[in-house]
Amino acid sequence: MSEKKIIEVRDAYSLPEDVFEAVHTALNEDVDEVVSLFKVLADPTRLRILKALEVQSLCVCVLVEATDQKHSALSYHLKLLKEAGLVDSQRERSFQIYYLTEFGNLLLKHIEKRFEKS
């Protein structure tokens, strides 16, 4: 069995070299996509849109009627949600219908489960 090199971090605290390297690698990973997703989720309006789309696929016109938001503002939020892979849309006659993607649905379920009130 090979002997592991021990890295002394501070005073009496030490780690095996492979663990230290794994920590270093984890701290240097590219997390830009995850950060972008959290930024999208950090907006209350966007979370509410996700919750509304959990009930049913909707056009922007329904969201405008159900909120105090302007059509342009809701379209912007939906664009960001779509870019994050949380929603998608399809054309039905003259309406653009938005719906949760599988990823959006799973993520929303996990969030709701974590924050459900007992």
Side-chain angles (χ1 to χ4, degrees):
M1 192 155 126
S2 68
E3 197 171 307
K4 287 186 176 183
K5 184 176 177 184
I6 302 296
I7 305 289
E8 201 163 305
V9 180
R10 240 188 185 198
D11 301 329
Y13 192 83
S14 58
L15 290 171
E17 183 177 24
D18 59 333
V19 173
F20 182 78
E21 286 175 15
V23 169
H24 186 276
T25 299
L27 289 171
N28 288 296
E29 282 182 19
D30 181 11
V31 294
D32 291 346
E33 266 188 64
V34 177
V35 169
S36 294
L37 177 62
F38 278 104
K39 285 180 181 180
V40 168
L41 292 171
D43 186 278
T45 299
R46 291 192 280 270
L47 283 175
R48 289 184 182 109
I49 291 170
L50 292 175
K51 291 180 76 57
L53 294 177
E54 186 179 34
V55 174
Q56 181 176 315
S57 300
L58 300 167
C59 71
V60 180
C61 59
V62 172
L63 295 169
V64 169
E65 288 296 318
T67 67
D68 60 354
Q69 300 278 323
K70 293 184 188 299
H71 188 282
S72 59
L74 288 168
S75 291
Y76 173 73
H77 289 300
L78 286 162
K79 174 184 163 283
L80 294 178
L81 290 167
K82 195 171 184 177
E83 288 171 355
L86 299 170
V87 303
D88 206 349
S89 65
Q90 63 186 29
R91 171 101 23 223
E92 285 185 19
R93 297 187 320 267
S94 61
F95 301 101
Q96 194 69 20
I97 305 298
Y98 289 87
Y99 58 91
L100 288 178
T101 61
E102 183 180 350
F103 173 60
N105 192 39
L106 285 170
L107 188 61
L108 189 58
K109 293 269 187 248
H110 283 290
I111 291 169
E112 289 172 340
K113 185 175 181 182
R114 171 61 180 92
F115 292 100
E116 74 184 16
K117 296 179 175 140
S118 303

